[in-house]
Amino acid sequence: QQPVQSPQAVILREGEDAVINCSSSKALYSVHWYRQKHGEAPVFLMILLKGGEQKGHDKISASFNEKKQQSSLYLTASQLSYSGTYFCGTRDTGGFKTIFGAGTRLFVKA
Amino acid sequence: SAVISQKPSRDICQRGTSLTIQCQVDSQVTMMFWYRQQPGQSLTLIATANQGSEATYESGFVIDKFPISRPNLTFSTLTVSNMSPEDSSIYLCSGRAGGTGELFFGEGSRLTVL
C-alpha cells in the first residue's frame, strides 16, 4: 500500500527550513528517502531501519518512528540545489520491495 | 554506489508494436526491479525481476503485457507489448544493493506511443 506524503508541494526561500512527512498504514521495516530533479533519475538520500532512528548528512536529516509508522525528512537552511521532488519509499516488515509515496515537490527560490 | 545502465534512453513507437528495454547493473546489485513513472507522478512498481525464473508482478501488471527476463545476476529486459498511447511513460530499472537495501536507478527510458 502506498505511503502517504505531505505536503504535496512546498515553496521556500533560500535559508528557510522544511519538513516532509511520510506515513504508512502497515508495519514498516525501513523507510527510504530519494530526491528527483526534473528529467533525472531518483537519487538515494538516506535509509532508516529502526524505530526512533535519526540520520542526516549536511543539512538534511530524517527520523523514523516505527511505532507510529511515520518518517519525517528535515531540510534546514535550504539551498537552491534542494529543489526537486522528494519521495519516501517504504518496505514492509518481511517484504523486499520498495513502494513509493506520491512525492513532495520542493521549490527553493533565491 | 551501484551503476545501472539502461537503454534506449527514449523512443517513439507506433501503436500495436512492442519495445524491449535493456538494463545492465554492476555486481553489487542483488535484486532488480522495474518501475513506471508517468510525467509528474510517483514511481509505480511493475515487477521484481527474478534471476532465471518468472518475474513477480504487482497488481495491475501482467506478464503478457510486460514480459520480463533476467537471465543472469546483472542483466534484465522489460518488454512493453502491443503498445497503446496509455503506455507512454518513463520506465526505470532499479537495483538494490545487498547491504543497506538502498535502491539505485537507471536513467530511465522515455517511451512515447503514437
Side-chain angles (χ1 to χ4, degrees):
Chain A
Q1 190 166 358
Q2 186 180 43
V4 177
Q5 275 187 246
S6 63
Q8 289 184 320
V10 183
I11 300 175
L12 299 174
R13 290 190 180 277
E14 251 186 313
E16 292 182 336
D17 302 340
V19 180
I20 300 172
N21 300 302
C22 176
S23 65
S24 174
S25 60
K26 304 182 78 171
L28 299 177
Y29 172 75
S30 65
V31 178
H32 309 201
W33 287 96
Y34 296 79
R35 177 171 62 209
Q36 185 178 33
K37 294 186 178 286
H38 183 69
E40 299 179 7
V43 173
F44 173 78
L45 294 176
M46 63 188 78
I47 182 172
L48 300 109
L49 295 173
K50 298 178 181 178
E53 184 179 43
Q54 258 190 297
K55 276 193 175 179
H57 60 85
D58 199 10
K59 295 185 175 72
I60 300 176
S61 62
S63 64
F64 176 28
N65 186 319
E66 184 180 359
K67 289 183 180 178
K68 292 185 176 180
Q69 297 154 197
Q70 294 174 347
S71 178
S72 295
L73 184 72
Y74 307 94
L75 301 103
T76 58
S78 58
Q79 307 167 17
L80 296 175
S81 62
Y82 286 4
S83 293
T85 301
Y86 290 78
F87 292 100
C88 74
T90 57
R91 280 179 60 196
D92 300 342
T93 300
F96 54 86
K97 57 189 180 184
T98 303
I99 305 299
F100 288 90
T104 297
R105 294 188 179 191
L106 182 78
F107 179 69
V108 181
K109 54 185 181 180
Chain B
S1 61
V3 176
I4 300 182
S5 303
Q6 196 175 330
K7 61 180 181 182
S9 58
R10 60 178 64 234
D11 208 337
I12 299 173
C13 303
Q14 296 299 317
R15 182 194 299 257
T17 63
S18 298
L19 178 76
T20 295
I21 302 167
Q22 298 180 8
C23 179
Q24 181 78 45
V25 303
D26 69 24
S27 58
Q28 296 180 64
V29 170
T30 55
M31 297 192 73
M32 294 181 70
F33 306 90
W34 287 96
Y35 286 86
R36 183 171 73 181
Q37 187 175 34
Q38 308 278 12
Q41 301 297 314
S42 182
L43 298 97
T44 301
L45 182 63
I46 297 173
T48 302
N50 299 310
Q51 183 194 355
S53 64
E54 189 173 294
T56 304
Y57 290 85
E58 296 300 304
S59 176
F61 297 96
V62 295
I63 188 171
D64 290 344
K65 176 67 176 177
F66 299 99
I68 290 170
S69 76
R70 188 181 175 190
N72 56 55
L73 267 177
T74 61
F75 185 77
S76 178
T77 64
L78 165 72
T79 299
V80 186
S81 303
N82 188 25
M83 289 183 286
S84 67
E86 292 71 36
D87 295 321
S88 297
S89 189
I90 298 172
Y91 293 85
L92 291 152
C93 173
S94 173
R96 194 172 89 198
T100 57
E102 63 195 81
L103 289 179
F104 301 96
F105 289 89
E107 291 300 311
S109 298
R110 182 182 293 270
L111 178 62
T112 302
V113 184
L114 303 177

